[in-house]
Amino acid sequence: MKNKVIIYAFVLPMGLLFIGPMLFTFLSSFKGNTEIFSAPFSLPEVFRFENYIVAWNEANMSRYFINSIVISLATVIILAFVSSMAAYVLARFNFKINRFLSLFFLLGMMLPMHTVLVPVAYMIGLLGLKNNLLALVLLFVAFSLSFSILVLTRFMQSINLSLEEAAIIDGASYFQIYWRIILPMSVPAISTISIFNFLAAWNNILFPLLFINDDRFKPIALGLLNFSGERGSEFGPLMAAIIITITVPLIVYLLFQEKVESGLAAGAVKE
């Protein structure tokens, strides 16, 4: 009983800390400015659904929303295949530079993003990829590759070798083993990195801020900045835009929450 009291004493304040701002944002998305400031946590007197219409249509959130979907899905798909193939090689093949390559990819996680912005900006300009969604996809893939390879390598090392040995005896090639055995068995770990990478690509604002000036190619995180100009005083549509922005990551996480937890736990134990 005493332990439960202590647990609740920590959990409840933490829950309120996270739920409070979200509740305020959600309720405010249906209110006008006066009601937001006079009664911030009360139910709206009249639900102003037009705030969402203004955010979606007039503030171009629909276009930013589609751009973010394209960028995030492309990033996740490319990362899943590239990192899983690299992890398979690092986890299953012994060659001279195996350890060096593992350390090289690990170094990518330790390198602060801001230290490479200048050469990255130079390369993006040289390739003519400014105001191009491909630039964002390539950058997100490059900066998420180390983490994805690390997680998948640890997970694949825990897969029983006897399955691959049986496949080799049956005449399977290494690619067939990867495609038909390793990849399906790595779904929990791939789901885990996919969700983390999706959220990172969806919420990133630094790269779009640096490389996207054209309004047609802005992702949703950068589109929120439009409310800082002429629409800076329209808090209702701003809150509606924030709700639109966080809806997709929230749904993705709730749908795949169990996959994330099982993927993280599975790689921690070796058979």
Side-chain angles (χ1 to χ4, degrees), residues 69 82-83 107 113 123 129 158 191 196 215 219 225 241 248-249 251:
I69 288 286
V82 173
S83 60
L107 183 65
M113 184 185 298
M123 291 173 64
L129 291 177
S158 68
S191 301
F196 279 114
D215 202 54
L225 293 181
V248 171
I251 291 174

Side-chain angles (χ1 to χ4, degrees), residues 189-210:
I190 291 174
S191 301
T192 301
I193 63 163
S194 295
I195 291 169
F196 279 114
N197 291 331
F198 184 92
L199 297 178
W202 186 275
N203 294 322
N204 189 291
I205 194 172
L206 179 60
F207 291 144
L209 196 60
L210 290 175

Side-chain angles (χ1 to χ4, degrees), residues 9 12 23 47 76 79 83 88 111 116 143 169 182 195 201 228 237:
L12 288 177
L23 183 63
F47 283 84
V76 166
L79 270 171
S83 60
Y88 173 55
L111 199 63
V116 296
F143 280 91
I169 292 172
I182 298 297
I195 291 169
S228 62

Side-chain angles (χ1 to χ4, degrees), residues 24-188:
F24 169 76
T25 305
F26 180 72
L27 293 174
S28 299
S29 68
F30 297 101
K31 299 177 180 177
N33 283 355
T34 306
E35 199 176 354
I36 289 174
F37 292 110
S38 60
F41 287 100
S42 67
L43 287 173
E45 294 177 2
V46 178
F47 283 84
R48 298 173 184 268
F49 292 100
E50 60 266 29
N51 287 342
Y52 283 87
I53 297 174
V54 170
W56 186 257
N57 293 328
E58 297 182 21
N60 283 332
M61 294 302 287
S62 56
R63 173 174 293 173
Y64 308 144
F65 188 87
I66 293 172
N67 287 340
S68 284
I69 288 286
V70 172
I71 293 167
S72 302
L73 288 181
T75 301
V76 166
I77 293 170
I78 294 173
L79 270 171
F81 281 104
V82 173
S83 60
S84 63
M85 286 191 285
Y88 173 55
V89 173
L90 292 174
R92 287 300 196 233
F93 294 87
N94 290 320
F95 51 96
K96 286 185 179 179
I97 59 171
N98 183 305
R99 185 166 178 76
F100 169 76
L101 285 177
S102 299
L103 292 173
F104 179 75
F105 285 121
L106 192 61
L107 183 65
M109 293 178 60
M110 302 175 184
L111 199 63
M113 184 185 298
H114 306 86
T115 60
V116 296
L117 285 181
V118 173
V120 165
Y122 177 77
M123 291 173 64
I124 293 294
L126 198 65
L127 294 172
L129 291 177
K130 282 189 175 179
N131 289 318
N132 193 322
L133 296 184
L134 179 61
L136 299 181
V137 173
L138 293 176
L139 289 171
F140 292 146
V141 168
F143 280 91
S144 302
L145 199 58
S146 298
F147 169 74
S148 302
I149 289 176
L150 179 67
V151 172
L152 288 176
T153 301
R154 295 292 179 267
F155 184 88
M156 289 180 184
Q157 286 173 342
S158 68
I159 296 176
N160 198 322
L161 271 173
S162 60
L163 295 171
E164 296 167 63
E165 291 169 351
I168 291 172
I169 292 172
D170 289 339
S173 64
Y174 288 121
F175 182 78
Q176 288 174 322
I177 294 172
Y178 158 77
W179 186 255
R180 296 183 178 180
I181 297 176
I182 298 297
L183 202 57
M185 294 189 69
S186 302
V187 167

